[in-house]
Amino acid sequence: MADESLPPWNPYDPDCPTRMMLDRIGDKWTVLVLGLLSAGPLRFNALRRQVPGISQKMLSQTLKDMERDGLVDRSAFATVPVTVEYTITPLGQSLAATVAQLVTWATRHADQVLAARARYQSR
Amino acid sequence: MADESLPPWNPYDPDCPTRMMLDRIGDKWTVLVLGLLSAGPLRFNALRRQVPGISQKMLSQTLKDMERDGLVDRSAFATVPVTVEYTITPLGQSLAATVAQLVTWATRHADQVLAARARYQSR
DNA sequence: GCCATCGGTTACCTCGTGGTGACCAGGGCA
DNA sequence: TGCCCTGGTCACCACGAGGTAACCGATGGC
């Protein structure tokens, strides 16, 4: 707690915001959903169709967690069959932008990582 | 596959570099170890003492994975009891820098997330 | 002789994440 | 009448990440 400018990695306790976010983006679906929603609002089943392999349960759970953390807004419309639209919040947008940098890093350095793996395997 | 400039989130298959890195930084210890090593080389047990709560097994496994991916270099010295030093690579440094941005985001927006959670709970 | 330290590996067990499939309501449609 | 659409929830199950503890071999100190 001596220096507040740039906290020296303290995610040892579960209260830590860093640990919290790493768990969030480390899960299987959040980043995928965030990426899709950052392009525009989508309904539940539209989202479901655009994320191949996701189950109803996991999409529902992921969206609930994201809504809870203020990353997306949920709005239900009393239409013919009830329609629910999910919209990304400014907070969610800023997270998406940050995650995008990680994605950029990954795509840019993927070859180096794969090369390292090949080197390691044939040692 | 039409646009290669900024791949549109394709981590549906395990080969995807993004999925690979998200899994890596989403695990419990890699980010912690990366943060410590980015400040300078450390020996196995020194690292172990500086990461509270980590077990010998997990530190060993984490370091092995990081070495495999070219994030750290391992050098053993035939000293009195064998000494092993772990050094971060330039690749590891660049990942650490990218992760640091995520950490910065988390610390900067933690209050907003916690506020959203409070709002959600008392709805 | 005994114990600690170095850096690990191994067996075993627990617990959480995520997958599968059934079920819910109401209305449109053949 | 029966089936599909909407957006979910719930019960059950499997797998893998991670924790715990024992053990390794060589050496130095008491």
Side-chain angles (χ1 to χ4, degrees):
Chain A
M1 294 292 189
D3 181 24
E4 290 182 322
S5 59
L6 209 275
W9 322 90
N10 69 330
Y12 308 119
D13 69 301
D15 298 344
C16 172
T18 302
R19 179 76 274 149
M20 191 178 76
M21 292 320 300
L22 288 179
D23 287 346
R24 186 54 89 252
I25 69 159
D27 75 16
K28 200 170 177 182
W29 304 110
T30 299
V31 170
L32 284 289
V33 172
L34 202 63
L36 285 172
L37 288 181
S38 70
L42 284 171
R43 288 181 304 100
F44 186 86
N45 277 324
L47 215 37
R48 185 153 126 82
R49 276 184 292 263
Q50 292 197 42
V51 183
I54 198 170
S55 63
Q56 239 172 344
K57 181 188 123 184
M58 285 314 297
L59 179 55
S60 161
Q61 191 179 112
T62 302
L63 287 169
K64 206 191 294 176
D65 289 343
M66 292 173 74
E67 189 200 356
R68 177 173 180 263
D69 286 356
L71 301 178
V72 299
D73 277 334
R74 196 192 100 114
S75 37
F77 302 100
T79 47
V80 207
V82 58
T83 317
V84 179
E85 198 180 64
Y86 290 92
T87 315
I88 198 167
T89 62
L91 184 63
Q93 280 286 14
S94 75
L95 177 58
T98 308
V99 170
Q101 297 188 345
L102 235 165
V103 173
T104 302
W105 185 93
T107 50
R108 266 215 268 265
H109 297 83
D111 53 340
Q112 295 182 48
V113 172
L114 292 176
R117 288 194 180 182
R119 227 177 301 124
Y120 183 85
Q121 194 168 0
S122 65
R123 113 218 88 112
Chain B
M1 295 293 187
D3 181 22
E4 290 182 319
S5 59
L6 209 276
W9 322 90
N10 69 330
Y12 309 119
D13 69 301
D15 298 343
C16 171
T18 302
R19 180 75 273 148
M20 191 179 75
M21 293 319 301
L22 287 179
D23 287 345
R24 184 56 86 255
I25 70 158
D27 75 16
K28 202 170 176 184
W29 304 110
T30 300
V31 169
L32 283 291
V33 172
L34 203 64
L36 285 172
L37 288 181
S38 70
L42 284 170
R43 288 179 304 103
F44 186 86
N45 277 322
L47 215 37
R48 186 154 124 83
R49 277 183 292 261
Q50 291 197 43
V51 184
I54 198 172
S55 63
Q56 241 173 346
K57 181 187 124 186
M58 285 315 296
L59 179 54
S60 162
Q61 191 179 113
T62 302
L63 287 169
K64 207 191 292 176
D65 289 344
M66 291 172 74
E67 189 200 355
R68 176 171 180 266
D69 287 356
L71 302 176
V72 299
D73 277 336
R74 195 191 100 116
S75 37
F77 302 100
T79 48
V80 208
V82 57
T83 317
V84 179
E85 199 180 65
Y86 290 93
T87 314
I88 199 167
T89 62
L91 184 63
Q93 280 286 13
S94 78
L95 176 58
T98 309
V99 170
Q101 297 188 344
L102 236 165
V103 172
T104 301
W105 185 94
T107 51
R108 266 214 267 267
H109 298 83
D111 54 339
Q112 294 182 49
V113 173
L114 293 176
R117 288 193 180 182
R119 227 177 302 124
Y120 184 85
Q121 193 169 1
S122 65
R123 109 217 92 107

